[in-house]
Amino acid sequence: MNSTWNLDPIYTGFDDPAFTSDLEALKKTVSDMTDLTAALDTAEPTEGLRRCVALWEQSEKLVGKLANYASLRQAADTKSPEAGSAMGRIMGVYSGMAAPNARFQNWAAKLPDLMDRVDGDEFLRDYHFLFEKMQENSRYLLPGQGEEIMAKMEMSGGSAWSDMQQYLTSTVPVTYRDQTTNLSSIRNLAYDADPQVRKDAYEAEIACYERIADPVAYSLNSIKLETISDCQLRGYDSPLDRTLKQADMKRETLDAMFAAMDEYLPKFWQYLRAKGKALGHGNGLPWYDLFAPMGKAGKKYTTEDARNYLVNLFGGFDKELSDMVARAFDNAWIDFYPRDGKAGGAFCSGVECLGESRILTNFDGMFTDVVTLAHELGHAFHNQCLTGHRPLNRDYSMPLAETASTFNECVVMAAAIDAAQDPEEKMALVESQLQDITQVICDIYSRYRFETMVFEHREEQFMNAETLCGFMTEAQKQSYGDGLDPDCLHPYMWVCKSHYYGPTFYNFPYAFGALFARGLYSQYKQEGAAFVPKYKKMLHTTSVATAEDTAAVAGIDLTDKNFWRSALETVSQQIDQFCALVEAKA
């Protein structure tokens, strides 16, 4: 089986004539859109709408293919100047779409009968939701050349600072037991069965951040100040207000979710204390043992093992999903293993020009790595469920982005726990799932709190590495409570988490996805096969409806705290199960 992904079906290289041709086509599309929007005031409205949408579609298809290829090449080798240079050229051209697109959207939003024209035209009708959002969002567009200027400045501003953070964290040397390794590999040791390995790896990880903390602090300060300035110029109340509007999600939904989480946080602290006690700690769980395996360690998996396990398991849920998983492994969609220069973590990127996805992981053979693959393959399935939508109708909102991925995790973990006969194996699996849900509740809450603190202070002060470490420590204490040892936290978590260097507040969607998916999985267990078509219809809806309207497809009211409580109660029951297993073993 392949160890790296195959990008040749997109382009065979940056010297591929097709790459050059598509870049030239993008330039022409930008030029045509510029000319067209300059004359919109004299155009027949419906014809103007149709022609602009057609060019907009064309630009999205071209930049999607070009930028997707360059970003995948860059993620696989962050040291590659060729990929970074290509991305710069692509975005330099694409930034020219900002001004004409803004002119088009301003013009369209002011049409008194816009929605009547959209709904009355066969070509435009599919974009009903897009034009509704356009009317709402037009108030936040910058006048004149403002959008083009912001797009060009972002290339050497936030985007460049983000690239620097990724470069520094992917290339920083880590000294571990007199050997030099990389950050991805050292972070994987947090799951090692040997407690001394975990502790030594944690100390090596913390030490390496001191080498890069200052430049990464500059990155974070610069990105957040750019975000604040952008929000002020556009008229948003705050960066969070912008995030929620762009996510098509109500503040009432976010407040309901966090209110339910606040109620259940002490239950998570109970789990952490129980785990700490079982591992011999008397003052809560130290950070380096957050991911310590418990119970009977599972077998090591090869990528072939992972393939067979997931294909067979998902075959019992839905053949369409199972077939896609098989294609992902068999057709080299996945870049599996950690290496120097490769981006850390894991992600899935849709490759719309192929009707496929590409997945990056840092696979180490643990069962958690199989779960990570299932998670990313959930994103790929979500992408596949959007088939049939037009090019401008394929972006789903941040809160819903983790739905299919986390649902896949629920399927995998429930099956594994049910199949476990040995109490030690069952403990290992239950605890593994509690590890994950604690990350997307307690840790995500700490990230949300940290980012909130950063935005509250950035306009008035530059926050150096020491200040940021202080914010992070305080956020972790609030979110983990007495579950963690207060003398052994992770003050540098802001350095390694890429989410702070991209979309604003890209943290709470993980908690949303985890809890939403648990609620959906409970429905699946109740309804069986009848649930699957509804589930796929809901995924198909995510890109053309608000978060609340999408959930309504499955009969869920997201503004009702009781829904979030019901999802958290399933976690509470697992915590009780874990504590009972620990007590039985004592």
Side-chain angles (χ1 to χ4, degrees):
M1 183 178 292
N2 65 290
S3 62
T4 60
W5 52 30
N6 181 15
L7 304 182
D8 286 351
I10 310 174
Y11 300 111
T12 57
F14 292 114
D15 58 352
D16 186 338
F19 180 89
T20 303
S21 176
D22 284 347
L23 188 57
E24 290 301 313
L26 180 61
K27 291 178 183 177
K28 184 177 188 308
T29 302
V30 171
S31 176
D32 289 347
M33 186 71 163
T34 301
D35 293 342
L36 177 59
T37 56
L40 277 176
D41 289 340
T42 61
E44 193 280 320
T46 301
E47 182 62 19
L49 291 169
R50 289 174 58 88
R51 292 178 63 194
C52 285
V53 167
L55 287 171
W56 191 2
E57 284 187 336
Q58 177 71 358
S59 72
E60 288 301 304
K61 287 192 289 186
L62 287 166
V63 78
K65 185 178 179 182
L66 289 159
N68 198 246
Y69 178 75
S71 66
L72 291 171
R73 286 280 303 269
Q74 191 168 37
D77 181 10
T78 60
K79 296 179 181 180
S80 168
E82 190 180 23
S85 176
M87 181 62 82
R89 294 199 307 274
I90 295 163
M91 299 315 294
V93 173
Y94 183 63
S95 66
M97 277 294 290
N101 227 334
R103 283 197 297 271
F104 166 59
Q105 293 186 46
N106 272 319
W107 171 80
K110 292 175 182 176
L111 292 174
D113 55 352
L114 172 64
M115 298 313 299
D116 289 337
R117 290 181 180 276
V118 169
D119 293 338
D121 186 88
E122 185 177 358
F123 173 69
L124 298 172
R125 195 175 301 133
D126 287 341
Y127 287 123
H128 179 97
F129 182 65
L130 175 73
F131 280 103
E132 275 193 333
K133 287 175 59 179
M134 193 181 296
Q135 282 188 316
E136 168 64 22
N137 294 337
S138 63
R139 73 176 82 172
Y140 304 111
L141 290 173
L142 298 174
Q145 291 184 294
E147 293 296 330
E148 182 177 14
I149 291 170
M150 290 294 286
K152 288 184 178 296
M153 293 298 291
E154 197 272 339
M155 292 169 54
S156 58
S159 180
W161 287 112
S162 178
D163 288 344
M164 187 171 82
Q165 182 271 343
Q166 184 181 72
Y167 174 80
L168 289 170
T169 53
S170 64
T171 59
V172 61
V174 185
T175 302
Y176 171 73
R177 295 184 174 181
D178 298 324
Q179 300 291 320
T180 300
T181 184
N182 57 65
L183 192 52
S184 292
S185 295
I186 206 71
R187 284 176 62 80
N188 276 339
L189 293 180
Y191 300 90
D192 197 273
D194 186 334
Q196 194 59 51
V197 168
R198 297 193 300 270
K199 188 173 186 294
D200 291 350
Y202 162 81
E203 291 173 350
E205 179 191 353
I206 294 296
C208 91
Y209 291 131
E210 295 175 3
R211 304 178 183 180
I212 61 174
D214 287 339
V216 178
Y218 271 89
S219 296
L220 186 62
N221 275 271
S222 299
I223 288 170
K224 297 314 183 190
L225 186 57
E226 179 182 276
T227 299
I228 291 170
S229 299
D230 181 82
C231 291
Q232 290 174 343
L233 287 168
R234 296 178 184 279
Y236 290 105
D237 293 339
S238 67
L240 180 59
D241 177 52
R242 187 184 77 171
T243 299
L244 290 169
K245 284 185 168 61
Q246 291 178 344
D248 302 312
M249 174 176 164
K250 294 178 180 178
R251 180 64 186 262
E252 292 88 339
T253 293
L254 185 68
D255 290 344
M257 183 184 75
F258 276 131
M261 286 168 56
D262 282 328
E263 291 180 8
Y264 278 83
L265 280 179
K267 198 69 182 180
F268 287 85
W269 304 344
Q270 177 187 344
Y271 149 67
L272 293 167
R273 290 194 305 272
K275 180 172 182 176
K277 183 178 179 181
L279 293 174
H281 304 295
N283 194 33
L285 189 67
W287 190 278
Y288 56 79
D289 274 347
L290 263 173
F291 306 107
M294 295 189 67
K296 181 181 178 182
K299 71 170 189 175
K300 293 279 281 188
Y301 286 77
T302 65
T303 56
E304 186 70 31
D305 292 334
R307 176 205 182 278
N308 294 336
Y309 180 84
L310 294 174
V311 168
N312 291 334
L313 177 61
F314 289 125
F317 173 71
D318 178 59
K319 185 177 185 300
E320 184 182 357
L321 171 58
S322 179
D323 288 348
M324 187 217 71
V325 170
R327 288 199 307 277
F329 281 91
D330 298 344
N331 297 344
W333 292 12
I334 308 171
D335 191 313
F336 287 100
Y337 302 110
R339 60 180 178 271
D340 288 343
K342 178 179 173 180
F347 68 78
C348 172
S349 178
V351 185
E352 295 176 19
C353 63
L354 303 178
E356 299 176 354
S357 293
R358 290 296 182 269
I359 292 168
L360 180 143
T361 71
N362 281 273
F363 189 85
D364 198 37
M366 303 296 290
F367 185 68
T368 52
D369 295 312
V370 179
V371 177
T372 295
L373 280 168
H375 179 103
E376 301 306 336
L377 287 162
H379 286 302
F381 186 62
H382 196 166
N383 294 337
Q384 182 169 297
C385 285
L386 296 175
T387 300
H389 281 310
R390 298 195 63 82
L392 306 182
N393 275 348
R394 292 186 59 87
D395 289 336
Y396 39 80
S397 67
M398 286 170 53
L400 297 169
E402 298 302 321
T403 303
S405 55
T406 313
F407 185 90
N408 271 13
E409 288 188 39
C410 291
V411 172
V412 171
M413 292 305 302
I417 291 170
D418 287 346
Q421 300 297 317
D422 182 354
E424 286 287 303
E425 183 182 2
K426 188 176 289 289
M427 176 187 282
L429 291 167
V430 170
E431 201 282 321
S432 174
Q433 192 167 35
L434 288 176
Q435 279 185 36
D436 292 341
I437 192 67
T438 299
Q439 282 292 289
V440 294
I441 300 299
C442 295
D443 198 59
I444 287 300
Y445 212 158
S446 73
R447 296 189 214 176
Y448 175 81
R449 284 171 161 146
F450 169 81
E451 193 163 8
T452 299
M453 284 188 270
V454 169
F455 277 122
E456 287 174 348
H457 290 81
R458 179 60 189 102
E459 195 170 5
E460 300 298 329
Q461 97 181 75
F462 177 90
M463 295 159 290
N464 60 21
E466 182 180 2
T467 299
L468 292 170
C469 285
F471 286 173
M472 181 57 74
T473 299
E474 179 59 28
Q476 287 171 357
K477 287 179 179 178
Q478 292 176 14
S479 302
Y480 285 98
D482 61 2
L484 290 188
D485 183 343
D487 297 322
C488 190
L489 300 175
H490 195 313
Y492 288 104
M493 189 56 67
W494 57 273
V495 177
C496 65
K497 288 299 179 184
S498 61
H499 301 90
Y500 298 122
Y501 305 87
T504 303
F505 283 104
Y506 195 26
N507 38 52
F508 67 77
Y510 286 94
F512 181 106
L515 297 177
F516 188 42
R518 277 181 171 260
L520 289 169
Y521 185 73
S522 295
Q523 283 190 267
Y524 165 58
K525 295 301 289 183
Q526 294 171 6
E527 300 176 14
F531 168 84
V532 178
K534 181 166 60 175
Y535 172 67
K536 292 196 283 190
K537 179 181 178 182
M538 188 201 70
L539 293 179
H540 183 75
T541 304
T542 53
S543 61
V544 291
T546 65
E548 290 76 20
D549 288 344
T550 297
V553 173
I556 294 169
D557 178 4
L558 295 179
T559 65
D560 184 355
K561 185 165 65 173
N562 287 325
F563 165 72
W564 303 105
R565 283 173 171 155
S566 68
L568 284 158
E569 184 58 31
T570 66
V571 183
S572 178
Q573 293 168 7
Q574 280 193 309
I575 291 172
D576 289 339
Q577 182 183 19
F578 170 76
C579 290
L581 289 167
V582 169
E583 288 298 320
K585 184 180 178 181

